[in-house]
Amino acid sequence: MAAHVSVNHGLLALLLVLICLSCAEGAVRVARQRLEVRRHLKRFNKPAVKSIKSPDGDIIDCVHVSHQPAFDHPFLKNHTIQMRPAFHPLGLYDENKMASKKKTSSIAQLWHQNGRCPEDTIPIRRTKRDDVLRASSVKRYGKKSHRTVPNPTSVDPDLLNESGHQHAIAYVEGDKYYGAKATINVWEPKIQQSNEFSLSQLWILGGSFGEDLNSIEAGWQVSPDLYGDNNTRLFTYWTSDAYQATGCYNLLCSGFIQINREIAMGASIYPISGYGGSQYDISILVWKDPKEGNWWMQFGNDYVLGYWPSFLFSYLADTASMIEWGGEVVNSQPDGEHTSTEMGSGHFPEEGFGKASYFRNIQIVDESNNLKAPKGVGTFTEQSNCYDVQNGNNGDWGNYFYYGGPGRNSNCP
């Protein structure tokens, strides 16, 4: 009997040792993750000259222009900041004169209600610990998943839904493009699950849809995973290897050099359009400076935000071969059904102005640095019963299209 008891004691002791070991391992893992998160936050959040609390809970840090994340890049250590582009696209200001005659409601960012950043600083949305922890891994924070660019030339239906991303876009290809412009209707689409998003943007693309794709992207997005809420936010993205190792959203890695102190990447846009109510839109222009070769971005008529240095890219160091404009959502097929995450306003294009979302005055920049109407615009959507696109042309809006939809409905199970 005594022997039996001692064996049990031995087993118990062994069990306790194993439990302690696995506890210790868990503790080491947690400590390591904490350390990694802290290191990342230190890299993202630069010392601020001033901080502004936005009504939506964001903190906007005003960081000295020469201390921004771009300058962590080894190739930018001795970079002289270009404070303005050598050239704007020709034809930009004629159009702005026309636009100023038409009364459009003006848009700002929510944080402006509580202050502005001083001279020689730029506004950066502060990354919080929870932002990083929501990502699939600390390393993937601020990055899109692989294979998310809509490839309208792919006819393989298996590839179309492979990535779980769905699109409704207009596009041009087959020429050399040096930029693109659009005025984009701003909405707040509903997102079914926090790991999904809905965005409306333009894509400037170079290379193939393989592993070497170069992309510069800008627009608005609702992304609970990235920002922790359902607000509509201004964003940019870049990659030079099809979203694998390079690039990120906004200023979440070294790349984009911001020069503007008024507009914060990733900050909430305000106000937004209402169904059957006031309509708001934002205008975005991305173009390649013919002198320096950098890709510049302008928001609205007044805000030149900054530039992506051309050395970040391979194909785009030269020219873009395709431009896309439109909407993208993630369909993670919750419970085996199509997601009810909305694109655009959440309504189909045929509902028209005030109800469906639009892109208007879509243009490209040609090799002579002229803003021009795009020729031979195609449209593309994977499942038009879920999200659709319809394009048109008229005097005021030039080339335009309505796009979007509700996702899951009786025709899109």
Side-chain angles (χ1 to χ4, degrees):
M1 184 71 188
H4 185 59
V5 170
S6 67
V7 168
N8 281 353
H9 275 302
L11 276 174
L12 203 59
L14 184 63
L15 205 59
L16 285 170
V17 167
L18 289 173
I19 288 169
C20 287
L21 279 175
S22 80
C23 287
E25 249 171 54
V28 166
R29 212 170 29 246
V30 168
R32 198 179 291 133
Q33 190 195 31
R34 271 208 194 113
L35 194 65
E36 205 182 348
V37 169
R38 253 208 310 275
R39 224 180 28 239
H40 264 66
L41 290 176
K42 196 164 185 262
R43 214 179 66 226
F44 296 136
N45 298 325
K46 304 298 183 191
V49 173
K50 171 185 176 180
S51 296
I52 297 161
K53 189 149 179 18
S54 172
D56 60 3
D58 276 0
I59 294 174
I60 304 296
D61 287 325
C62 305
V63 172
H64 194 277
V65 68
S66 60
H67 296 158
Q68 62 183 297
F71 297 113
D72 293 343
H73 198 293
F75 287 10
L76 290 171
K77 284 289 178 250
N78 301 313
H79 181 81
T80 306
I81 302 175
Q82 235 188 303
M83 286 316 282
R84 63 185 59 82
F87 295 97
H88 274 83
L90 305 167
L92 179 63
Y93 292 106
D94 317 345
E95 192 190 298
N96 287 353
K97 275 193 215 97
M98 269 177 57
S100 62
K101 287 181 198 156
K102 272 208 319 263
K103 186 78 196 100
T104 48
S105 312
S106 82
I107 265 189
Q109 290 191 306
L110 210 46
W111 65 275
H112 290 169
Q113 294 176 12
N114 291 342
R116 297 287 172 123
C117 281
E119 289 283 343
D120 298 326
T121 69
I122 62 159
I124 303 182
R125 178 184 181 270
R126 186 183 299 177
T127 299
K128 301 187 173 111
R129 192 167 162 267
D130 286 350
D131 293 337
V132 181
L133 292 175
R134 273 192 311 274
S136 59
S137 76
V138 178
K139 277 196 180 62
R140 291 302 302 167
Y141 172 65
K143 294 184 184 296
K144 275 192 180 186
S145 58
H146 191 24
R147 302 196 83 135
T148 63
V149 167
N151 180 1
T153 54
S154 165
V155 287
D156 182 346
D158 293 338
L159 274 181
L160 290 182
N161 291 316
E162 179 199 40
S163 67
H165 289 242
Q166 293 197 299
H167 309 86
I169 62 161
Y171 67 96
V172 288
E173 61 174 340
D175 209 342
K176 291 184 169 176
Y177 306 102
Y178 295 83
K181 183 170 191 280
T183 298
I184 313 173
N185 198 192
V186 180
W187 293 83
E188 192 177 87
K190 288 189 182 58
I191 312 295
Q192 186 181 338
Q193 301 204 135
S194 66
N195 63 337
E196 299 179 328
F197 65 60
S198 181
L199 55 76
S200 298
Q201 65 168 68
L202 54 83
W203 286 259
I204 290 176
L205 301 167
S208 68
F209 283 90
E211 308 296 300
D212 60 357
L213 184 78
N214 287 200
S215 183
I216 290 175
E217 307 169 26
W220 60 258
Q221 69 182 157
V222 177
S223 176
D225 250 9
L226 189 57
Y227 303 106
D229 60 26
N230 291 325
N231 293 352
T232 302
R233 296 166 175 277
L234 175 72
F235 82 95
T236 59
Y237 200 92
W238 70 274
T239 178
S240 61
D241 64 354
Y243 309 97
Q244 295 174 93
T246 61
C248 59
Y249 281 111
N250 307 328
L251 302 180
L252 295 175
C253 65
S254 305
F256 187 82
I257 297 172
Q258 184 159 336
I259 57 163
N260 182 286
R261 67 188 176 106
E262 306 276 353
I263 300 294
M265 303 284 201
S268 300
I269 298 170
Y270 177 83
I272 51 168
S273 306
Y275 184 77
S278 299
Q279 296 303 297
Y280 297 92
D281 52 31
I282 57 173
S283 162
I284 286 178
L285 163 68
V286 174
W287 82 102
K288 193 172 177 40
D289 182 337
K291 184 162 179 270
E292 304 286 340
N294 300 325
W295 288 90
W296 284 81
M297 174 173 167
Q298 179 168 315
F299 175 75
N301 292 337
D302 307 313
Y303 304 116
V304 174
L305 294 194
Y307 57 96
W308 289 270
S310 68
F311 76 76
L312 295 172
F313 304 101
S314 50
Y315 296 98
L316 289 179
D318 179 27
T319 168
S321 50
M322 188 174 203
I323 306 290
E324 298 176 345
W325 301 264
E328 175 182 357
V329 299
V330 175
N331 171 27
S332 61
Q333 294 188 300
D335 307 323
E337 298 179 310
H338 194 288
T339 181
S340 59
T341 286
E342 298 173 341
M343 182 191 292
S345 68
H347 292 263
F348 284 114
E350 45 271 22
E351 291 198 40
F353 184 78
K355 296 178 175 175
S357 189
Y358 60 78
F359 276 61
R360 63 178 173 88
N361 304 103
I362 66 171
Q363 291 175 296
I364 56 104
V365 180
D366 70 8
E367 70 281 356
S368 312
N369 199 33
N370 283 304
L371 265 172
K372 284 215 166 119
K375 280 194 180 69
V377 177
T379 59
F380 168 78
T381 179
E382 289 93 348
Q383 287 179 277
S384 58
N385 290 341
C386 309
Y387 311 105
D388 205 3
V389 55
Q390 287 179 2
N391 58 344
N393 196 304
N394 68 29
D396 253 4
W397 278 25
N399 282 26
Y400 69 88
F401 61 91
Y402 286 98
Y403 71 102
R408 186 167 74 239
N409 64 73
S410 53
N411 298 317
C412 168

